[in-house]
Amino acid sequence: LWTRGSDLLWHQGKISPGSEAPFNLADRGLLLADGLFETVLVIQGQPVLLSEHLDRFGRGCSRLSIDFDRTMAERAILDLAAAKAGDAIVRATITRGTGARGLQPPLDAHPVLFATRADWTKALAFTSPRLSVSSIRRNATSPLSRLKSLSYMDNVLALIEAQGKGADDALMLSTTGSVACSSAANVFILEGRRLATPPPEEGVLDGIMRGFILAAAPSMGLDVSEEPFGTDRLMGADAIFLTNSVRLMMPVAAVDGIELPLGSATVARLAAAIAAVAGLEPSTRITASMP
Amino acid sequence: LWTRGSDLLWHQGKISPGSEAPFNLADRGLLLADGLFETVLVIQGQPVLLSEHLDRFGRGCSRLSIDFDRTMAERAILDLAAAKAGDAIVRATITRGTGARGLQPPLDAHPVLFATRADWTKALAFTSPRLSVSSIRRNATSPLSRLKSLSYMDNVLALIEAQGKGADDALMLSTTGSVACSSAANVFILEGRRLATPPPEEGVLDGIMRGFILAAAPSMGLDVSEEPFGTDRLMGADAIFLTNSVRLMMPVAAVDGIELPLGSATVARLAAAIAAVAGLEPSTRITASMP
């Protein structure tokens, strides 16, 4: 059996190398994408914003009526965080488990929880991607568009489409027509002292770093709001940046080939706050581009 | 390990009871829903419309750039069809296999193919469901909405929503506003001698039974077309029916509590044609309701 993937697997309370395990191939996570996940950054052994990740994991499970064992999920993440030296990305995945054939979820589901670990390097964070607007839109009518569910292929296809156009990532609009997110990150625009990010209703995940920015910005003298905006307003902003838990903050260098202003002092201060909460030194990449 | 699911599993060329197998939990099918499936009805050992299923499986893999081994997929389905007496549903699933962490598909992917078998009974087919219009719409901008992909949770949530309203299944509209499908079946409307079903562009799967009806209807003196239509036209039709490979044909009894005409002679003739291609006796359920 050919294997590749994570370097360490947490499964049923035990850690093993690789990611192979006995698995029920009738699991609804595999057959129907009936499950959720969290991707947690681990810096020097410390999971970043762990309780926020566990809170969101629980909220998602509640929405899908999947029994969530927070203690066990926390243990999986902490065990993998401590299993090896070096910064890491720990992904915890929960599925509803097996059920009878068909779409109907079983009433007596036994959820399956596992987690994997991969190395993380600073090169992943604080990059400045060039985006291309995707033809694939986030489905604002779908509850999944607001959950970190296993249904990720729209975003994968949007990423492939963007790369085919020479961009680094996709800028996804919502089916409402508003700006939604990139293939794996939330989007913010800065307009003077105003910071805005689309609300979950637009088909947007409530990202953990997004939540951190929403909470931290007012103390930095910024007005911050969750509100819909279109590409016109986006392109007129002083700065655009993306946030997620692995790549932290990414000032956007271009959209559809149109260069955007980088080097905002406000963006650099926000980046410093994110670096601090992650336990990292401030990004020299971002501070170097400051005016 | 708690197990439930299929009664027989085809995995790496071998059949085993249950559905447990060694599996790489970093498989992209499980982590990102990066894969496709086919559900094939087996009547008296014969897979129904097998080459059509294999054709669609191949088209979907081609769209997702997953290497498809048609001979192996056919073997999996035929092996399971022959493994046991009795009518069955065989589901063949392909995933892209493992990859490095993140959304980017690996260039050197090793797809994983497996198949499961479950019993089928006539009680599943030719039912007359009551539908409820879902708040969750099919995303017409998503290539997945036209593929039998593992991303099935919108449909699962639509089904649960419909059942919560006392209906049997959901009628899903498209993000375009047109009628799309039910949670797991295509929809047709009959207007005199005209038969219409939404085109794939509306976020609709090219169902195998849908294809059979499109091909067979002209020889039965019906005009058939793929065209968008809204709920107004749907509610004014002489008959509405659903089709899929497991439940075959389902005349719709009601939409949002509004009773619909059943017992159309044309629907009964179409049902007889579907029963014939599946190798079944004509449905007494449908012929009994004929005028």
Side-chain angles (χ1 to χ4, degrees):
Chain A
L1 196 62
W2 197 77
T3 63
R4 172 173 53 189
S6 145
D7 57 356
L8 288 179
L9 172 70
W10 186 100
H11 187 232
Q12 303 188 292
K14 295 202 185 72
I15 291 177
S16 56
S19 41
E20 283 258 332
F23 190 69
N24 193 322
L25 298 186
D27 187 279
R28 290 173 58 95
L30 175 59
L31 298 186
L32 300 167
D34 192 353
L36 297 158
F37 69 103
E38 288 291 328
T39 302
V40 182
L41 179 61
V42 176
I43 301 296
Q44 299 189 356
Q46 297 302 313
V48 176
L49 297 170
L50 177 58
S51 64
E52 286 80 355
H53 279 287
L54 291 168
D55 287 349
R56 184 177 64 180
F57 214 6
R59 286 196 302 275
C61 285
S62 172
R63 174 63 186 84
L64 295 185
S65 303
I66 293 176
D67 283 338
F68 179 61
D69 184 336
R70 186 188 172 102
T71 304
M72 194 60 81
E74 184 173 28
R75 187 177 140 202
I77 295 166
L78 289 174
D79 284 358
L80 280 178
K84 211 177 125 181
D87 301 332
I89 306 162
V90 171
R91 174 180 158 138
T93 304
I94 192 167
T95 76
R96 196 184 304 274
T98 55
R101 206 207 67 79
L103 301 191
Q104 188 73 52
L107 294 173
D108 58 342
H110 293 228
V112 172
L113 175 74
F114 62 92
T116 51
R117 176 185 163 124
D119 289 337
W120 182 85
T121 151
K122 281 176 188 160
L124 286 169
F126 299 118
T127 57
S128 294
R130 302 174 70 85
L131 306 184
S132 165
V133 176
S134 179
S135 66
I136 303 172
R137 296 195 175 197
R138 298 281 295 182
N139 186 353
T141 73
S142 165
L144 297 183
S145 70
R146 295 177 277 283
L147 298 175
K148 202 158 177 70
S149 95
L150 303 179
S151 286
Y152 237 80
M153 282 303 287
D154 272 345
N155 294 38
V156 170
L157 294 174
L159 174 65
I160 294 170
E161 180 192 43
Q163 291 174 339
K165 291 196 235 166
D168 301 306
D169 198 355
L171 179 68
M172 299 182 77
L173 307 183
S174 169
T175 49
T176 63
S178 296
V179 170
C181 53
S182 79
S183 72
N186 289 110
V187 59
F188 283 83
I189 55 173
L190 179 71
E191 298 164 318
R193 307 298 302 163
R194 280 168 47 195
L195 206 52
T197 194
E201 293 69 35
E202 299 298 310
V204 168
L205 184 71
D206 58 334
I208 299 302
M209 277 302 154
R210 173 183 180 277
F212 173 75
I213 293 283
L214 288 174
S219 68
M220 301 170 69
L222 296 167
D223 290 329
V224 65
S225 66
E226 298 178 80
E227 58 180 273
F229 52 82
T231 48
D232 282 2
R233 192 169 148 201
L234 176 101
M235 298 305 289
D238 298 329
I240 307 171
F241 61 89
L242 309 177
T243 58
N244 78 17
S245 293
V246 168
R247 297 176 170 274
L248 300 175
M249 170 190 266
M250 295 168 277
V252 175
V255 175
D256 280 346
I258 301 167
E259 307 287 329
L260 296 165
L262 289 172
S264 149
T266 302
V267 170
R269 284 178 61 218
L270 287 164
I274 287 177
V277 79
L280 292 165
E281 298 294 307
S283 164
T284 49
R285 272 196 208 145
I286 290 183
T287 50
S289 69
M290 273 179 64
Chain B
L1 196 61
W2 196 76
T3 64
R4 171 172 56 188
S6 146
D7 57 355
L8 287 178
L9 171 71
W10 186 100
H11 188 232
Q12 303 189 293
K14 294 201 184 72
I15 291 177
S16 56
S19 40
E20 282 257 332
F23 190 68
N24 193 322
L25 298 186
D27 187 280
R28 290 173 57 95
L30 175 60
L31 298 187
L32 299 167
D34 192 353
L36 297 158
F37 70 103
E38 289 291 329
T39 303
V40 182
L41 180 61
V42 175
I43 300 297
Q44 299 189 355
Q46 297 301 313
V48 176
L49 297 170
L50 178 58
S51 64
E52 286 80 355
H53 279 287
L54 291 168
D55 288 349
R56 184 177 64 179
F57 214 6
R59 286 195 305 275
C61 285
S62 173
R63 174 64 186 83
L64 296 185
S65 303
I66 293 175
D67 283 339
F68 179 61
D69 184 336
R70 186 187 171 102
T71 304
M72 194 61 79
E74 184 174 28
R75 188 178 140 202
I77 295 166
L78 290 174
D79 285 359
L80 280 178
K84 210 176 125 182
D87 301 332
I89 305 163
V90 171
R91 173 180 159 139
T93 303
I94 193 168
T95 76
R96 196 184 304 273
T98 54
R101 205 207 67 80
L103 301 191
Q104 188 73 52
L107 294 173
D108 58 342
H110 293 228
V112 171
L113 176 74
F114 63 92
T116 51
R117 176 186 163 124
D119 289 338
W120 182 85
T121 153
K122 280 176 188 161
L124 285 168
F126 299 118
T127 56
S128 294
R130 302 174 69 86
L131 306 184
S132 165
V133 176
S134 179
S135 66
I136 303 172
R137 296 195 175 198
R138 297 282 294 182
N139 185 354
T141 74
S142 165
L144 297 183
S145 70
R146 296 177 277 283
L147 298 175
K148 203 159 176 69
S149 95
L150 304 179
S151 286
Y152 238 79
M153 281 304 287
D154 272 345
N155 295 40
V156 170
L157 294 175
L159 174 65
I160 294 170
E161 180 192 43
Q163 291 174 339
K165 292 195 235 166
D168 301 306
D169 198 357
L171 180 68
M172 298 182 78
L173 307 183
S174 168
T175 48
T176 64
S178 296
V179 170
C181 53
S182 79
S183 72
N186 289 111
V187 59
F188 283 83
I189 55 173
L190 179 71
E191 297 164 319
R193 308 299 299 163
R194 280 169 48 194
L195 206 52
T197 193
E201 293 69 35
E202 299 298 309
V204 168
L205 184 72
D206 58 333
I208 300 302
M209 278 302 153
R210 173 182 179 278
F212 173 76
I213 293 283
L214 288 173
S219 69
M220 300 169 70
L222 297 167
D223 291 329
V224 65
S225 66
E226 299 178 80
E227 59 180 271
F229 51 82
T231 48
D232 282 2
R233 192 168 149 203
L234 175 102
M235 297 306 290
D238 298 329
I240 308 172
F241 61 89
L242 308 177
T243 58
N244 77 18
S245 293
V246 168
R247 297 175 171 274
L248 299 175
M249 171 190 265
M250 295 168 276
V252 175
V255 174
D256 280 346
I258 300 167
E259 307 286 329
L260 296 165
L262 289 171
S264 149
T266 302
V267 169
R269 286 178 60 218
L270 288 163
I274 287 177
V277 78
L280 293 164
E281 298 294 308
S283 164
T284 49
R285 270 195 208 147
I286 290 184
T287 50
S289 68
M290 273 180 64

